[in-house]
Amino acid sequence: MDMVKNIFPFSFNFKEKDTNGLIVSIIIYIVLMLVSGIVMWVLGMIPVINILTGIVGWIIEIYAVAGIVLSVLNYFNVLK
């Protein structure tokens, strides 16, 4: 579990039942998805880099969704 906490630091930086911490954590991950989406869109206009940006963007979105799920699970004290 310590390795997961190191990979997803924003999912575990608040205590369970801390609504403000949950909201801030989810907003951080949503902003990450928006910023990476904009950067990937701009870089996607270059034909050679288009495939690479698609793969990296997909990985970033999976990371952000997993972070949101872990934040919600931490909020409801499911994770030990």
Side-chain angles (χ1 to χ4, degrees), residues 1-54:
M1 193 59 159
D2 291 332
M3 188 171 90
V4 173
K5 288 182 180 182
N6 289 334
I7 295 173
F8 297 96
F10 297 114
S11 297
F12 298 99
N13 65 352
F14 62 94
K15 298 188 184 298
E16 57 274 349
K17 303 300 181 191
D18 180 16
T19 308
N20 291 334
L22 175 67
I23 292 171
V24 168
S25 176
I26 290 174
I27 289 174
I28 288 172
Y29 285 117
I30 289 174
V31 168
L32 171 71
M33 289 187 341
L34 289 174
V35 169
S36 69
I38 291 170
V39 170
M40 296 304 148
W41 176 71
V42 169
L43 290 176
M45 293 181 187
I46 303 171
V48 176
I49 302 177
N50 189 14
I51 296 170
L52 182 64
T53 57

